[in-house]
Amino acid sequence: MPRAASTQERILIAYEDLLLELGERGATLEAVASRAGVSKGGLLYHFGSKEALSSGLVERLHRLTDEDLVLMMAAPAGPVDYLIRTSIDASSPLDRALIATSRLAQAADARAGEALASIRSQWLAVITEAVGDPATARAIVLVSDGLYFNSAMRGMGTPDPADVSAEGIDSLLTVLDRFSTPSVD
Amino acid sequence: MPRAASTQERILIAYEDLLLELGERGATLEAVASRAGVSKGGLLYHFGSKEALSSGLVERLHRLTDEDLVLMMAAPAGPVDYLIRTSIDASSPLDRALIATSRLAQAADARAGEALASIRSQWLAVITEAVGDPATARAIVLVSDGLYFNSAMRGMGTPDPADVSAEGIDSLLTVLDRFSTPSVD
DNA sequence: TTCACTGTACCGTCCAGCCGGTACAGTGGT
DNA sequence: ACCACTGTACCGGCTGGACGGTACAGTGAA
């Protein structure tokens, strides 16, 4: 049973760090342990194998997603605004866990891929309810996917692909508003 | 040994196959050589190192992209329709090379990341010219990114995340058409 | 024979997982 | 108070295997 923020938490955050910075290949047990300030033996005491470590990350992602869904459904500016803005951020614990898990999914980790698919379908359900039209909702979630994809690229050896400045977000939300309100023809 | 395609081509295609199926980790020199029907020594004769192999993939991607941009700008239904439809396909040589390269980018390969960013900016330029409004163009390219992201997930240990059936594409294009092409007949 | 190319044996490195050990905070019997 | 014992947390060296890369001995065609 995971208690409050402790060694387990530090290890998982270190794992995320290395997945984001170096990819799945660079997130070795020794590197994760070193980043978390423990020895490899200490890491393996808490997570008995690398698979257990990735399972821990996926569980953490599910937990953070459940918390986030509550916030999203209660967002003052609506779920669409909330989803798009948090898709751009990429610095919150959820976003970090999400991108880290997508790295695992790219490395053929079935559990990670299923987790991402599950989260995506939960988002799609909320957005569909918010905007009414399923096709529009899918387009919005696809934009969110695209933003995450670009966030995942940034911070590696890549010049930032999409302009996501403050006014960029607003203009994007304006466009999406046109998506969901077909009053203009 | 039949010589239908050149050995280099066969090796690059085998490399793509393994990147798509197993991720960067699974695309070892021996596995690529075996899939291409040559020995490891044979592979290293053509590509002197693993870095040379990934460089070859990136060059192939640039070549396929240049060819595709010509088709996209000359597409009868317009660049937006062409981009979205080809983003869903994921079975053309370009799409395969694109997703394979994104796997390398996830593994902190700087060259791969730069290539993807470059391709994205080329697409953005064409779409911007086609629809006029930069913000709208960015939203469309983000949808394309999202579709590629979902294509990249499919075919691994993942239930397909986005419904991309034939009528799904049409309804998505209808949503995008709501503002992107003011003069439709 | 030469050349373009193939196949295999091998080397150094890196990594996941294992294992024996350390430190220390209880705890319970005497 | 003392000691024997237990469970938790953590350490670091080791090993077996896989991988990238090298060396070299073929082989078939021109």
Side-chain angles (χ1 to χ4, degrees):
Chain A
M1 301 304 162
R3 286 274 75 166
S6 184
T7 304
Q8 270 103 336
E9 195 81 359
R10 266 184 13 244
I11 290 172
L12 286 177
I13 289 173
Y15 188 35
E16 289 175 2
D17 279 348
L18 289 166
L19 284 172
L20 294 180
E21 290 172 20
L22 303 172
E24 191 260 350
R25 199 105 190 230
T28 68
L29 292 183
E30 270 178 5
V32 171
S34 169
R35 177 72 65 109
V38 299
S39 70
K40 192 164 63 165
L43 190 160
L44 285 166
Y45 172 79
H46 292 285
F47 299 93
S49 68
K50 198 159 197 191
E51 194 189 331
L53 183 59
S54 62
S55 291
L57 176 57
V58 169
E59 279 168 31
R60 179 183 154 85
L61 174 60
H62 276 303
R63 204 188 70 233
L64 292 171
T65 300
D66 290 344
E67 293 172 15
D68 189 72
L69 276 172
V70 176
L71 294 176
M72 183 167 127
M73 289 188 281
V80 174
D81 182 280
Y82 184 87
L83 176 66
I84 295 302
R85 288 187 190 278
T86 58
S87 296
I88 287 171
D89 186 3
S91 65
S92 74
L94 172 61
D95 292 320
R96 287 164 34 85
L98 204 47
I99 295 173
T101 303
S102 85
R103 297 264 203 263
L104 292 182
Q106 303 280 311
D109 184 312
R111 233 176 296 224
E114 286 161 18
L116 292 181
S118 158
I119 289 166
R120 230 196 78 98
S121 78
Q122 287 177 280
W123 281 345
L124 184 59
V126 172
I127 298 297
T128 301
E129 198 182 348
V131 302
D133 180 38
T136 303
R138 204 173 60 239
I140 290 171
V141 176
L142 281 171
V143 169
S144 166
D145 292 343
L147 287 168
Y148 270 113
F149 178 74
N150 284 285
S151 294
M153 287 301 157
R154 209 166 18 254
M156 309 197 75
T158 317
D160 66 344
D163 169 32
V164 282
S165 55
E167 65 268 16
I169 304 173
D170 290 335
S171 61
L172 177 59
L173 282 167
T174 304
V175 171
L176 293 182
D177 220 37
R178 258 183 286 160
F179 268 127
S180 42
T181 55
S183 51
V184 187
D185 57 72
Chain B
M1 297 287 182
R3 295 255 176 116
S6 77
T7 304
Q8 267 105 338
E9 194 83 358
R10 275 196 350 258
I11 290 172
L12 286 177
I13 289 173
Y15 189 35
E16 289 174 4
D17 278 347
L18 290 167
L19 284 172
L20 294 180
E21 289 171 22
L22 305 172
E24 192 262 350
R25 201 101 189 230
T28 68
L29 292 183
E30 273 177 2
V32 171
S34 168
R35 176 74 65 112
V38 299
S39 69
K40 192 163 77 159
L43 191 160
L44 285 165
Y45 175 80
H46 292 287
F47 299 94
S49 69
K50 194 156 200 194
E51 195 189 330
L53 183 60
S54 62
S55 292
L57 176 59
V58 169
E59 280 167 30
R60 179 184 154 85
L61 174 61
H62 276 302
R63 204 188 70 234
L64 293 170
T65 301
D66 290 345
E67 292 171 16
D68 189 71
L69 276 172
V70 175
L71 293 177
M72 182 167 129
M73 288 189 282
V80 174
D81 182 279
Y82 184 87
L83 176 67
I84 296 300
R85 288 189 189 279
T86 58
S87 297
I88 287 170
D89 187 3
S91 64
S92 73
L94 171 60
D95 292 321
R96 286 164 34 85
L98 204 46
I99 296 173
T101 303
S102 85
R103 298 262 204 263
L104 292 183
Q106 302 280 310
D109 184 313
R111 234 175 296 221
E114 286 160 18
L116 292 181
S118 159
I119 289 166
R120 230 195 78 97
S121 78
Q122 288 178 280
W123 281 345
L124 184 60
V126 172
I127 299 297
T128 301
E129 198 183 348
V131 303
D133 180 37
T136 302
R138 202 173 61 238
I140 291 171
V141 175
L142 281 171
V143 169
S144 166
D145 292 343
L147 287 168
Y148 269 113
F149 179 73
N150 283 287
S151 294
M153 287 302 158
R154 208 164 22 252
M156 309 196 73
T158 315
D160 66 344
D163 169 33
V164 282
S165 55
E167 64 269 16
I169 304 173
D170 289 336
S171 61
L172 177 59
L173 283 168
T174 303
V175 172
L176 296 181
D177 262 357
R178 234 174 252 167
F179 54 90
S180 62
T181 53
S183 58
V184 198
D185 46 342

